[in-house]
């Protein structure tokens, strides 16, 4: 079994925020696969994506621990379902990427992302991750962001960003499907770099 876990914050207060694009991708995957989320013994919502005969079944999950404690749920899910870290894809927001851009990695550091930092603390660095660009917000004098990054990631997308965000979420769901069938190397080859509007 493989696992695709989107990070975010639970509750309507955070729905649609930049920090919750991981949840949005999981919702898109569940909708495509006709999977319903339900409560788990671990503090998360989970769904089982039954793949065609010969394919790996996939655990879809959204932790309910809040972003900064995501690793508690992720670690618990891997232990409960006996899934190796190598079979895990974590989907998160990334302020260092422009809106619409995707970047996949097979392993590595948290890169300043508190959700990833928590996951690494619980399961190590040897898991795949897919970062979705949410931008840094408008710049003020001297090139500094006008808004604190913590406030920025908890904000919702601007009206003129929403079409690009919808495309990004759809492409990220495609990339997650590729992870299941072809592995992270194929995701990196197909989705890293290029024009976010045209790269397949």
């Amino acid at each position: 079994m493989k696992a695709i876990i989107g990070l975010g914050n639970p509750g309507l207060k955070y729905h649609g925020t930049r920090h919750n694009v991981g949840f949005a991708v999981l919702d898109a995957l569940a909708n495509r696969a006709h999977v319903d989320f339900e409560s788990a013994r671990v503090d998360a919502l989970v769904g089982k994506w039954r793949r065609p005969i010969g394919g790996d079944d996939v655990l879809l999950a959204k932790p309910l621990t809040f972003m900064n404690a995501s690793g508690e749920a992720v670690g618990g899910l891997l232990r409960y379902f006996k899934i190796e870290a190598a079979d895990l894809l974590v989907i998160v927001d990334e302020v260092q990427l422009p809106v619409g851009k995707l970047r996949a990695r097979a392993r590595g550091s948290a890169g300043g992302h508190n959700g990833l930092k928590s996951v690494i603390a619980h399961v190590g660095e040897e898991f795949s991750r897919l970062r979705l660009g949410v931008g840094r917000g408008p710049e003020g004098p001297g090139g500094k962001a006008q808004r604190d990054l913590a406030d920025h990631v908890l904000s919702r997308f601007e009206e003129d960003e929403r079409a690009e965000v919808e495309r990004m979420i759809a492409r990220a769901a495609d990339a997650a499907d590729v992870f299941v069938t072809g592995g992270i190397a194929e995701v990196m080859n197909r989705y890293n770099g290029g024009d976010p509007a045209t790269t397949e």
Side-chain angles (χ1 to χ4, degrees):
M1 177 181 279
K2 288 184 166 61
I4 300 172
I5 300 180
L7 303 191
N9 288 315
L12 287 176
K13 176 181 177 181
Y14 300 102
H15 181 74
T17 62
R18 295 170 195 267
H19 229 15
N20 274 35
V21 290
F23 279 10
V25 176
L26 266 290
D27 288 338
L29 281 170
N31 186 55
R32 291 182 185 186
H34 306 290
V35 170
D36 292 322
F37 286 105
E38 55 189 38
S39 298
R41 296 195 179 193
V42 176
D43 200 4
L45 296 176
V46 301
K48 290 277 191 69
W49 183 8
R50 303 290 183 185
R51 303 286 292 183
I53 294 174
D56 289 314
D57 285 343
V58 183
L59 177 73
L60 303 178
K62 299 188 291 185
L64 298 177
T65 49
F66 287 90
M67 180 66 81
N68 293 357
S70 297
E72 296 173 17
V74 174
L77 288 166
L78 295 193
R79 289 189 296 273
Y80 184 77
F81 289 98
K82 297 180 172 57
I83 300 171
E84 298 294 328
D87 291 321
L88 166 65
L89 176 68
V90 174
I91 303 176
V92 299
D93 60 296
E94 177 54 71
V95 297
Q96 303 299 341
L97 293 174
V99 172
K101 185 108 171 183
L102 303 181
R103 180 177 296 155
R105 291 286 183 268
R107 64 187 60 82
S109 69
H113 193 287
N114 288 333
L116 283 178
K117 192 180 298 182
S118 177
V119 175
I120 289 169
H122 286 265
V123 306
E125 295 184 358
E126 300 298 313
F127 63 90
S128 300
R129 65 286 311 267
L130 179 65
R131 299 173 186 262
L132 279 66
V134 298
R136 294 181 60 85
E139 292 184 352
K144 290 188 175 181
Q146 290 182 0
R147 184 164 49 193
D148 180 78
L149 278 182
D151 292 334
H152 177 64
V153 296
L154 294 177
S155 70
R156 288 176 169 79
F157 291 98
E158 303 296 336
E159 189 66 37
D160 61 358
E161 295 176 311
R162 288 179 184 167
E164 186 61 62
V165 171
E166 288 180 10
R167 285 193 293 270
M168 176 177 67
I169 289 169
R171 290 179 62 246
D174 293 341
D177 197 4
V178 170
F179 172 78
V180 173
T181 58
I184 191 62
E186 187 172 345
V187 176
M188 291 166 64
N189 287 337
R190 292 177 59 177
Y191 292 91
N192 285 356
D195 181 346
T198 59
T199 303
E200 296 183 356

